[in-house]
Amino acid sequence: MLELHGTQPSEEVRNALASMIRLVLERARGAEERARIEAIRHGEELRTSVLNALAHNFRTPLTSIKAAASMLRLSGRIPTAEERELIVVIDEEADRLNQLIRESLDLAKLEARRAYPMTEECLIPDIVAASPQKCRAIWGAVS
């Protein structure tokens, strides 16, 4: 709180004080915004680390299961057709689980980008000028 005692200051002094207060408040807002952005960035780094650790923890045993099933499948030492079919199921389901892990990680990465999109300044005329070439590249690849 700011109190002035005594005679009323001149308009110039009041304007100067108001300008200084405005500057202090703008700097405080800027510092708060930088802190918020840093907290978001730190949270995203932590989230990425956790997701990568989870993926690693799932994939390590999954790789062992896949290797064991593939070895059994190729060994030719499984006597019955029913047992061979079970090995095939284990092998295929390990592949499916690996695909689910990969898709879940991809989805999490997409969600993170949607929640915190990257922004950049660009000039509309540059985008318009580059559009025909990009369209030809995309449509040419489809043809």
PDB file of all heavy atoms in Angstrom, residues 63-75:
ATOM      1  N   THR A  63      10.436 -58.302 -24.308  1.00  0.00           N
ATOM      2  CA  THR A  63      11.497 -58.769 -25.205  1.00  0.00           C
ATOM      3  C   THR A  63      11.927 -60.177 -24.831  1.00  0.00           C
ATOM      4  O   THR A  63      12.148 -61.023 -25.711  1.00  0.00           O
ATOM      5  CB  THR A  63      12.701 -57.802 -25.152  1.00  0.00           C
ATOM      6  OG1 THR A  63      12.255 -56.505 -25.537  1.00  0.00           O
ATOM      7  CG2 THR A  63      13.817 -58.244 -26.062  1.00  0.00           C
ATOM      8  N   SER A  64      12.025 -60.450 -23.542  1.00  0.00           N
ATOM      9  CA  SER A  64      12.393 -61.799 -23.094  1.00  0.00           C
ATOM     10  C   SER A  64      11.325 -62.818 -23.477  1.00  0.00           C
ATOM     11  O   SER A  64      11.636 -63.925 -23.942  1.00  0.00           O
ATOM     12  CB  SER A  64      12.586 -61.820 -21.578  1.00  0.00           C
ATOM     13  OG  SER A  64      13.637 -60.973 -21.214  1.00  0.00           O
ATOM     14  N   ILE A  65      10.063 -62.459 -23.298  1.00  0.00           N
ATOM     15  CA  ILE A  65       8.962 -63.354 -23.668  1.00  0.00           C
ATOM     16  C   ILE A  65       8.997 -63.626 -25.168  1.00  0.00           C
ATOM     17  O   ILE A  65       8.869 -64.767 -25.615  1.00  0.00           O
ATOM     18  CB  ILE A  65       7.603 -62.754 -23.250  1.00  0.00           C
ATOM     19  CG1 ILE A  65       7.490 -62.709 -21.726  1.00  0.00           C
ATOM     20  CG2 ILE A  65       6.435 -63.516 -23.867  1.00  0.00           C
ATOM     21  CD1 ILE A  65       6.337 -61.865 -21.209  1.00  0.00           C
ATOM     22  N   LYS A  66       9.173 -62.573 -25.950  1.00  0.00           N
ATOM     23  CA  LYS A  66       9.210 -62.696 -27.410  1.00  0.00           C
ATOM     24  C   LYS A  66      10.375 -63.586 -27.842  1.00  0.00           C
ATOM     25  O   LYS A  66      10.212 -64.467 -28.700  1.00  0.00           O
ATOM     26  CB  LYS A  66       9.325 -61.286 -28.024  1.00  0.00           C
ATOM     27  CG  LYS A  66       9.459 -61.258 -29.512  1.00  0.00           C
ATOM     28  CD  LYS A  66       8.176 -61.611 -30.191  1.00  0.00           C
ATOM     29  CE  LYS A  66       8.371 -61.494 -31.699  1.00  0.00           C
ATOM     30  NZ  LYS A  66       7.353 -62.180 -32.431  1.00  0.00           N
ATOM     31  N   ALA A  67      11.550 -63.366 -27.268  1.00  0.00           N
ATOM     32  CA  ALA A  67      12.727 -64.157 -27.636  1.00  0.00           C
ATOM     33  C   ALA A  67      12.520 -65.631 -27.284  1.00  0.00           C
ATOM     34  O   ALA A  67      12.840 -66.526 -28.092  1.00  0.00           O
ATOM     35  CB  ALA A  67      13.969 -63.608 -26.938  1.00  0.00           C
ATOM     36  N   ALA A  68      11.966 -65.887 -26.100  1.00  0.00           N
ATOM     37  CA  ALA A  68      11.737 -67.279 -25.679  1.00  0.00           C
ATOM     38  C   ALA A  68      10.710 -67.952 -26.581  1.00  0.00           C
ATOM     39  O   ALA A  68      10.899 -69.107 -27.012  1.00  0.00           O
ATOM     40  CB  ALA A  68      11.287 -67.316 -24.222  1.00  0.00           C
ATOM     41  N   ALA A  69       9.629 -67.259 -26.897  1.00  0.00           N
ATOM     42  CA  ALA A  69       8.599 -67.838 -27.759  1.00  0.00           C
ATOM     43  C   ALA A  69       9.150 -68.103 -29.160  1.00  0.00           C
ATOM     44  O   ALA A  69       8.887 -69.156 -29.742  1.00  0.00           O
ATOM     45  CB  ALA A  69       7.386 -66.902 -27.827  1.00  0.00           C
ATOM     46  N   SER A  70       9.906 -67.167 -29.679  1.00  0.00           N
ATOM     47  CA  SER A  70      10.485 -67.355 -31.020  1.00  0.00           C
ATOM     48  C   SER A  70      11.456 -68.526 -31.037  1.00  0.00           C
ATOM     49  O   SER A  70      11.484 -69.311 -31.986  1.00  0.00           O
ATOM     50  CB  SER A  70      11.198 -66.077 -31.472  1.00  0.00           C
ATOM     51  OG  SER A  70      10.283 -65.030 -31.616  1.00  0.00           O
ATOM     52  N   MET A  71      12.260 -68.634 -29.980  1.00  0.00           N
ATOM     53  CA  MET A  71      13.209 -69.753 -29.910  1.00  0.00           C
ATOM     54  C   MET A  71      12.471 -71.082 -29.857  1.00  0.00           C
ATOM     55  O   MET A  71      12.837 -72.039 -30.554  1.00  0.00           O
ATOM     56  CB  MET A  71      14.098 -69.594 -28.673  1.00  0.00           C
ATOM     57  CG  MET A  71      15.571 -69.612 -28.986  1.00  0.00           C
ATOM     58  SD  MET A  71      16.551 -69.203 -27.534  1.00  0.00           S
ATOM     59  CE  MET A  71      16.384 -70.669 -26.561  1.00  0.00           C
ATOM     60  N   LEU A  72      11.455 -71.162 -29.018  1.00  0.00           N
ATOM     61  CA  LEU A  72      10.673 -72.396 -28.927  1.00  0.00           C
ATOM     62  C   LEU A  72      10.003 -72.721 -30.261  1.00  0.00           C
ATOM     63  O   LEU A  72       9.971 -73.879 -30.695  1.00  0.00           O
ATOM     64  CB  LEU A  72       9.611 -72.278 -27.832  1.00  0.00           C
ATOM     65  CG  LEU A  72      10.097 -72.398 -26.395  1.00  0.00           C
ATOM     66  CD1 LEU A  72       8.970 -72.036 -25.427  1.00  0.00           C
ATOM     67  CD2 LEU A  72      10.615 -73.804 -26.119  1.00  0.00           C
ATOM     68  N   ARG A  73       9.489 -71.701 -30.887  1.00  0.00           N
ATOM     69  CA  ARG A  73       8.779 -71.875 -32.160  1.00  0.00           C
ATOM     70  C   ARG A  73       9.703 -72.432 -33.244  1.00  0.00           C
ATOM     71  O   ARG A  73       9.312 -73.301 -34.023  1.00  0.00           O
ATOM     72  CB  ARG A  73       8.244 -70.507 -32.576  1.00  0.00           C
ATOM     73  CG  ARG A  73       7.104 -70.539 -33.494  1.00  0.00           C
ATOM     74  CD  ARG A  73       6.558 -69.140 -33.625  1.00  0.00           C
ATOM     75  NE  ARG A  73       5.795 -69.056 -34.836  1.00  0.00           N
ATOM     76  CZ  ARG A  73       5.274 -67.973 -35.327  1.00  0.00           C
ATOM     77  NH1 ARG A  73       5.442 -66.833 -34.695  1.00  0.00           N
ATOM     78  NH2 ARG A  73       4.588 -67.999 -36.420  1.00  0.00           N
ATOM     79  N   LEU A  74      10.920 -71.925 -33.286  1.00  0.00           N
ATOM     80  CA  LEU A  74      11.863 -72.330 -34.329  1.00  0.00           C
ATOM     81  C   LEU A  74      12.645 -73.594 -33.982  1.00  0.00           C
ATOM     82  O   LEU A  74      13.306 -74.165 -34.852  1.00  0.00           O
ATOM     83  CB  LEU A  74      12.840 -71.182 -34.619  1.00  0.00           C
ATOM     84  CG  LEU A  74      12.195 -69.893 -35.148  1.00  0.00           C
ATOM     85  CD1 LEU A  74      13.226 -68.782 -35.238  1.00  0.00           C
ATOM     86  CD2 LEU A  74      11.538 -70.139 -36.498  1.00  0.00           C
ATOM     87  N   SER A  75      12.580 -74.035 -32.721  1.00  0.00           N
ATOM     88  CA  SER A  75      13.390 -75.175 -32.302  1.00  0.00           C
ATOM     89  C   SER A  75      12.926 -76.492 -32.927  1.00  0.00           C
ATOM     90  O   SER A  75      13.723 -77.393 -33.124  1.00  0.00           O
ATOM     91  CB  SER A  75      13.390 -75.299 -30.779  1.00  0.00           C
ATOM     92  OG  SER A  75      12.127 -75.786 -30.327  1.00  0.00           O
TER      93      SER A  75
END
